[in-house]
Amino acid sequence: MSTSQPPASRPPEDRATPDRLLHARTGTDVSPEDLVLASGKDLTPHNLEWAKRKLAAEGPAALEKLLP
């Protein structure tokens, strides 16, 4: 007995992911804490200063560059 999904309930393989689902931004401001966590670093004063500088230089796009 197979445990795979029946063909009717599986999504088509040629279907593309909608653009709105591919972006990390939620329409809210990006905080230095968001940037540190997205980069996989610990929330330390040093990393928060790095994130503040990066946000000042690149704006919210800094988060988009870290996340797919």
Side-chain angles (χ1 to χ4, degrees):
M1 187 165 170
S2 174
T3 59
S4 65
Q5 295 178 339
S9 65
R10 280 185 282 183
E13 292 180 22
D14 62 341
R15 199 171 110 200
T17 302
D19 193 48
R20 64 183 169 75
L21 297 177
L22 295 174
H23 297 281
R25 294 281 317 270
T26 60
T28 60
D29 291 331
V30 177
S31 71
E33 290 84 1
D34 294 333
L35 197 58
V36 170
L37 293 174
S39 69
K41 299 177 182 181
D42 291 328
L43 287 173
T44 65
H46 175 76
N47 290 339
L48 288 170
E49 285 303 316
W50 164 82
K52 288 176 186 176
R53 289 190 307 273
K54 192 161 180 71
L55 283 172
E58 300 176 21
L63 185 63
E64 290 288 334
K65 292 178 181 178
L66 291 174
L67 301 175

